[in-house]
Amino acid sequence: MMMAGGSSWDDYKGPARLIIVVAVLLICCCGGALTAVGVPLGEMMSFGKKHYNYQCDIALGPEPGASTSATATPTTASVPESAARQQRPETNPYAELYFDPADPNVTDRDLACASAMKTAPIQDEPWQEINTGPAVSCADDLALRYPEVAGTATMADYARDVIYSASIAGSTGQCTPTRAPTATVVENCGDPTATVASVILPATVGDQGYCGQVVDPKAASPGDLVFWEYIDRRATRVGVALGPGEVVTVDSGKFVRLEIPRDAEVQIKRVLGDAG
């Protein structure tokens, strides 16, 4: 394959090749919007690199010692937030990324990101809206009532059961603690823009951390998931938010209610759709 200027595809290694792939993905998933507004190729590739890094940071957590990119999102004046939301693809275009582990230019973070993208929905800028609706009201109730009726649970099972039970409350007309079934499809897991019969999260905290749409901490709502203590590019703790200040989680086999940590590596993810 020949590129502009007579260069072949094989001349591009590691990061350079990745940026080209990302730029192509952006053109495909945004319906050519970036080119339609006359964005130069160099600027588009710069945007593509930032967009890719942002998607990775949201899924994996920011790199140790780096400032979180959750508040430094890759926006341009040409693509307003409302337009970006409308152009959101149904599936994550980065799910098709593949890196050769033997390539010396490919980092461990690239490999971890490619794996996470198989599960994670594509991310918008952090949502600013408070969530509402039957599922949210049920999650608010179950987050506190679940410990009384369900006994001891792991962090991951607590999150799975509360979210699943809340997600079906609107269709069943009941808000009762229910054990979540085993997840069989994890693509775009917990995407709050999708219309689904129920939200079934993966079995482990690390895999759950790839799910959902990132939310601004000030907009944290009942039923949003709070992830923190990222180790080896995976979340190790999860809880169910009660609002912008508190979260319920499991610690050493006991249910605890505590303040949402104010650490740069905390991610708040929305997995429940709103009233619409």
Side-chain angles (χ1 to χ4, degrees):
M1 173 179 171
M2 297 300 295
M3 307 295 291
S7 299
S8 71
W9 176 248
D10 291 335
D11 291 335
Y12 292 86
K13 301 296 184 182
R17 178 181 291 189
L18 171 62
I19 294 171
I20 293 171
V21 171
V22 168
V24 172
L25 285 172
L26 284 172
I27 293 172
C28 294
C29 76
C30 295
L34 292 177
T35 55
V37 295
V39 178
L41 178 59
E43 183 178 338
M44 190 193 323
M45 290 174 65
S46 176
F47 177 90
K49 181 179 180 181
K50 291 178 181 177
H51 192 269
Y52 167 77
N53 287 334
Y54 175 67
Q55 301 300 318
C56 294
D57 282 355
I58 295 302
L60 307 177
E63 289 291 90
S67 61
T68 178
S69 62
T71 56
T73 53
T75 60
T76 69
S78 302
V79 185
E81 181 180 353
S82 59
R85 184 79 64 87
Q86 293 172 359
Q87 294 160 3
R88 182 187 181 113
E90 293 183 1
T91 59
N92 190 338
Y94 293 103
E96 302 303 319
L97 279 179
Y98 170 77
F99 296 103
D100 183 355
D103 187 338
N105 296 295
V106 173
T107 67
D108 290 341
R109 180 177 179 275
D110 288 329
L111 295 174
C113 185
S115 178
M117 292 299 104
K118 302 293 187 290
T119 299
I122 196 73
Q123 295 292 314
D124 297 324
E125 298 180 31
W127 285 5
Q128 307 291 325
E129 304 89 354
I130 297 293
N131 205 13
T132 59
V136 177
S137 298
C138 182
D140 192 20
D141 178 38
L142 288 182
L144 294 173
R145 187 154 56 92
Y146 182 97
E148 300 175 1
V149 299
T152 302
T154 66
M155 260 185 290
D157 285 343
Y158 170 62
R160 294 184 78 248
D161 292 349
V162 169
I163 295 303
Y164 173 75
S165 302
S167 71
I168 63 175
S171 60
T172 64
Q174 297 181 331
C175 181
T176 57
T178 306
R179 292 293 184 187
T182 301
T184 55
V185 178
V186 294
E187 180 181 339
N188 279 19
C189 71
D191 184 350
T193 68
T195 301
V196 295
S198 60
V199 179
I200 305 175
L201 299 174
T204 68
V205 174
D207 288 342
Q208 290 173 4
Y210 302 151
C211 302
Q213 159 65 39
V214 69
V215 173
D216 187 285
K218 295 187 292 294
S221 306
D224 289 345
L225 296 180
V226 182
F227 297 97
W228 71 103
E229 290 188 8
Y230 283 77
I231 299 175
D232 294 332
R233 303 182 179 89
R234 295 173 71 87
T236 62
R237 300 199 68 183
V238 65
V240 179
L242 300 175
E246 291 186 295
V247 62
V248 179
T249 187
V250 180
D251 189 5
S252 301
K254 298 181 180 180
F255 292 94
V256 293
R257 180 175 179 175
L258 44 82
E259 291 186 2
I260 293 178
R262 300 299 178 185
D263 186 89
E265 293 187 1
V266 172
Q267 303 269 14
I268 300 176
K269 298 285 199 70
R270 183 157 298 165
V271 295
L272 295 172
D274 60 20

